[in-house]
Amino acid sequence: MSSASDDTPLHQTKNARIAVVVVLVVSLAYALLVAQQILLWVLVVVTVVVLWYAARLVVAMEQIATHLERLADAQSVTNEYSGETSTE
């Protein structure tokens, strides 16, 4: 299990990847053996892929926001030292 101080996003952890693979294999077995419909499995795979990329998008947006906040803080500190003020 990962430690509480680990900042790795859930979708990048090894356990999450293993869980996704297990769910996909079980769903493939169900789709082929019980339901006998491969399209059911394709629907599950497409859903998993869309959710995976949605999680990656959220993490990327959070990182962008964090870096923009740091840039804004650095710029405000620089403006304070130079005596400039923002009039926006």
Side-chain angles (χ1 to χ4, degrees):
M1 204 181 271
S2 63
S3 64
S5 64
D6 191 10
D7 289 335
T8 305
L10 179 63
H11 70 278
Q12 292 180 351
T13 61
K14 185 177 181 179
N15 291 337
R17 290 179 182 183
I18 291 171
V20 168
V21 169
V22 168
V23 167
L24 290 178
V25 168
V26 168
S27 68
L28 176 62
Y30 173 79
L32 292 176
L33 301 175
V34 177
Q36 296 179 352
Q37 294 180 354
I38 191 68
L39 288 179
L40 177 65
W41 187 72
V42 171
L43 179 64
V44 170
V45 170
V46 168
T47 303
V48 167
V49 169
V50 167
L51 290 175
W52 192 273
Y53 281 110
R56 290 179 57 118
L57 177 66
V58 168
V59 170
M61 295 297 284
E62 288 175 347
Q63 289 175 347
I64 289 170
T66 301
H67 292 295
L68 283 174
E69 183 178 348
R70 289 179 187 166
L71 284 173
D73 289 341
Q75 186 175 9
S76 67
V77 167
T78 304
N79 288 343
E80 288 175 5
Y81 284 131
S82 65
E84 297 175 9
T85 58
S86 177
T87 58
E88 292 182 42

